[in-house]
C-alpha cells in the first residue's frame, strides 16, 4: 500500500514545462507514471526513475494526476480521455495556463465524479524549474492544497495558496499580462539605449543591478545580448495569455490599455513568422526593425542569474 507521503502519481504532458516538472518529481523519488501525446518526448524521463505510459487510461488508477498541456481545449481532451473508463484518481492538479471559465468547467466535471481538484499554474520557464526557482499559485479546497504541498515542494520551492475556486487562474493571467508588457518595455528601452550608443550588455548589466532589475530581466539578458532566441515560451502561448487577460479585463470591466497594445505587438511578431520556433524575447528584433537598426550578437559572456 502506498503511504500518504508517497502517493502514486500520474503525469500528463512532457512538453518544455511538463518534462522538467516531472523530472524533479522523479529525481526526488516519487512514483511517477508519465504520459505524453508524443511518447518519445517523455521517454528520457525513465533515466530518473519515471515510468512511461502508452495510453492515458493507464494513468486513471493513479492517486494523484498532474496535467501540464497547452490550452483549455487540450486539457478538456486529455482529462476526457483520462476519465473514459471506470478508474479515476483521487485528486487532479492542473498546471497549464488556462481561463477562469475553463478551470471552473473542469472543477464541475471532476466534482461530478467526486474527484478533488487543485488549480496550480506556475511562474517560470524550463530553465527556472531546473534551477529550482519555479513558483506555483494554487486555489481550490485548502485540504487539497495541503495534500499536494509535499509534491509541489519537490517541484518548486514556492507554492502560494490564494483561496477557493479558480482564484489561482486570475493570478496567473495577471502575472502573464505583466510578462507581456514588461518584455515589450524591456525591448523598447534596450533598443533606445543601443541606438543612442550604449551596448546592450552594458545597459542590461546596469539595469539588472538597479531597483528595476528582476529574476526575469536577468534571465532574459543572454537572449537580448547575444540574440539566442531558442524557445522557452512561444509567442503563440504568450498571445493566448494576453488574450485571457483582455477577456478577464472585459468581464470585470477593467481597462487594460497597455496589455491591449502589448498583445497586438505579440500578434505582429506572429504574423511576421516568429511563432513556434522562436522565443517571445524576439520581440526585441521587431522593436529594432521598427527603430531602423539591425541587431548583431554582441558575443559577450553574460550570466542568466539562475546560478
Ligand atoms: N514555457 C514557459 O515558460 C511557461 C511558463 C509558465 C506556464 N506555461 C504554460 O504551461 C503550459 C505548457 O507550456 P510549454 O511551454 O510546456 O508548452 P509545450 O512545450 O508546447 O508543451 C505542450 C505540451 O502539451 C501537450 N499537448 C498539447 N495539446 C495536446 C492535446 N490536445 N492532447 C495531448 N497533449 C497535448 C504537448 O504534447 P506533444 O509533446 O505531443 O506536443 C506537450 O506535452 C501552457 O499552458 C503554457 O502557457 C509555460
Amino acid at each position: 500500500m502506498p503511504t500518504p507521503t508517497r502517493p502514486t502519481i500520474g503525469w500528463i504532458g512532457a512538453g518544455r514545462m511538463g518534462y522538467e516538472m516531472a523530472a524533479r518529481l522523479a529525481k526526488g523519488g516519487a512514483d511517477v507514471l508519465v504520459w505524453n501525446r508524443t511518447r518519445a518526448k517523455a521517454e528520457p524521463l525513465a533515466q530518473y526513475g519515471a515510468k512511461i505510459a502508452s495510453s492515458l487510461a493507464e494513468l486513471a488508477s493513479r492517486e494523484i494526476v498532474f496535467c501540464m498541456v497547452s490550452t483549455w481545449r487540450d486539457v478538456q481532451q486529455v482529462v476526457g480521455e483520462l476519465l473514459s473508463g471506470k478508474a479515476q484518481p483521487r485528486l487532479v492538479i492542473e498546471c497549464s495556463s488556462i481561463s477562469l471559465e475553463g478551470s471552473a468547467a473542469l472543477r464541475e466535471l471532476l466534482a461530478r465524479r467526486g474527484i478533488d481538484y487543485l488549480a496550480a499554474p506556475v511562474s517560470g520557464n524550463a530553465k527556472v524549474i531546473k534551477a529550482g526557482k519555479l513558483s506555483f499559485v494554487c486555489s481550490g479546497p485548502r485540504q487539497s492544497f495541503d495534500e499536494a504541498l509535499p509534491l509541489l515542494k519537490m517541484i518548486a520551492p514556492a507554492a502560494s495558496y490564494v483561496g477557493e475556486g479558480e482564484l489561482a487562474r486570475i493570478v496567473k493571467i495577471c502575472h502573464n499580462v505583466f510578462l507581456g508588457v514588461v518584455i515589450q518595455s524591456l525591448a523598447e528601452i534596450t533598443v533606445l539605449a543601443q541606438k543612442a550608443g550604449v551596448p546592450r550588455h552594458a545597459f542590461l548589466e546596469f539595469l539588472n543591478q538597479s531597483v528595476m532589475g528582476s529574476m526575469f530581466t536577468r534571465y532574459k539578458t543572454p537572449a537580448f545580448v547575444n540574440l539566442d532566441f531558442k524557445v522557452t515560451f512561444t509567442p503563440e502561448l504568450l498571445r493566448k495569455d494576453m488574450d485571457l487577460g483582455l477577456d478577464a479585463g472585459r468581464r470585470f470591466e477593467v481597462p487594460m490599455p497597455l496589455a491591449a497594445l502589448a498583445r497586438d505587438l505579440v500578434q505582429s511578431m506572429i504574423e511576421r513568422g516568429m511563432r513556434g520556433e522562436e522565443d517571445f524575447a524576439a520581440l526585441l528584433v521587431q522593436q529594432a526593425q521598427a527603430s531602423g537598426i539591425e541587431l548583431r550578437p554582441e558575443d559577450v559572456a553574460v550570466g542568466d542569474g539562475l546560478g
Side-chain angles (χ1 to χ4, degrees):
M1 276 291 282
T3 65
T5 50
R6 199 169 184 270
T8 57
I9 298 166
W11 189 283
I12 303 174
R16 270 178 286 273
M17 299 294 287
Y19 181 92
E20 295 300 341
M21 292 167 80
R24 286 188 72 91
L25 274 183
K27 283 178 193 171
D31 175 357
V32 198
L33 175 64
V34 183
W35 176 85
N36 194 55
R37 179 177 59 183
T38 311
R39 193 180 198 274
K41 283 198 212 168
E43 274 164 0
L45 286 166
Q47 70 191 295
Y48 308 122
K51 301 172 190 110
I52 314 301
S54 300
S55 75
L56 258 176
E58 288 174 50
L59 270 60
S61 50
R62 296 256 131 183
E63 292 169 86
I64 298 179
V65 171
F66 281 84
C67 177
M68 186 52 152
V69 291
S70 298
T71 64
W72 160 233
R73 204 169 52 91
D74 305 319
V75 172
Q76 237 177 336
Q77 269 182 20
V78 295
V79 172
E81 212 173 312
L82 174 78
L83 300 179
S84 58
K86 279 202 187 111
Q88 61 178 51
R90 182 174 77 233
L91 170 65
V92 167
I93 303 175
E94 209 303 305
C95 307
S96 324
S97 303
I98 61 171
S99 63
L100 287 158
E101 293 79 5
S103 193
L106 179 60
R107 190 173 301 282
E108 215 180 296
L109 184 153
L110 295 171
R112 279 202 297 271
R113 300 271 302 244
I115 302 170
D116 291 332
Y117 166 49
L118 190 69
V122 298
S123 166
N125 63 26
K127 265 181 127 176
V128 172
I129 302 170
K130 261 189 169 163
K133 294 187 172 163
L134 189 74
S135 46
F136 281 100
V137 57
C138 305
S139 64
R142 176 81 211 198
Q143 195 190 331
S144 300
F145 175 71
D146 291 341
E147 182 183 356
L149 195 57
L151 298 173
L152 302 182
K153 285 283 171 115
M154 287 171 77
I155 302 170
S160 308
Y161 177 73
V162 292
E164 295 287 329
E166 316 326 315
L167 291 177
R169 301 299 181 180
I170 194 66
V171 174
K172 171 61 187 170
I173 290 168
C174 291
H175 171 283
N176 270 31
V177 165
F178 192 41
L179 177 75
V181 169
V182 168
I183 188 76
Q184 173 59 26
S185 181
L186 192 63
E188 290 173 19
I189 59 174
T190 303
V191 167
L192 174 62
Q194 173 172 348
K195 204 170 175 188
V198 187
R200 296 190 298 279
H201 70 272
F203 173 66
L204 290 166
E205 182 187 305
F206 161 71
L207 191 82
N208 287 337
Q209 295 178 75
S210 77
V211 295
M212 299 306 293
S214 65
M215 190 194 303
F216 178 69
T217 64
R218 284 186 280 279
Y219 77 60
K220 279 300 173 205
T221 293
F224 269 36
V225 171
N226 295 321
L227 310 185
D228 172 6
F229 296 121
K230 183 170 175 293
V231 69
T232 65
F233 185 48
T234 65
E236 280 158 328
L237 285 178
L238 178 59
R239 177 183 59 185
K240 165 193 61 111
D241 292 344
M242 300 299 284
D243 283 337
L244 291 176
L246 293 172
D247 287 348
R250 277 187 284 276
R251 175 172 162 195
F252 291 101
E253 300 202 40
V254 173
M256 303 183 70
L258 289 181
L261 212 56
R263 184 266 174 213
D264 281 352
L265 288 160
V266 174
Q267 177 66 54
S268 303
M269 93 186 276
I270 290 170
E271 287 314 312
R272 286 163 176 230
M274 302 176 194
R275 4 183 107 236
E277 298 315 312
E278 257 176 315
D279 193 63
F280 70 110
L283 270 169
L284 180 76
V285 174
Q286 174 168 276
Q287 180 63 34
Q289 287 164 354
S291 312
I293 61 171
E294 197 183 326
L295 298 179
R296 293 193 198 294
E298 289 184 344
D299 295 326
V300 174
V302 283
D304 60 11
L306 292 175

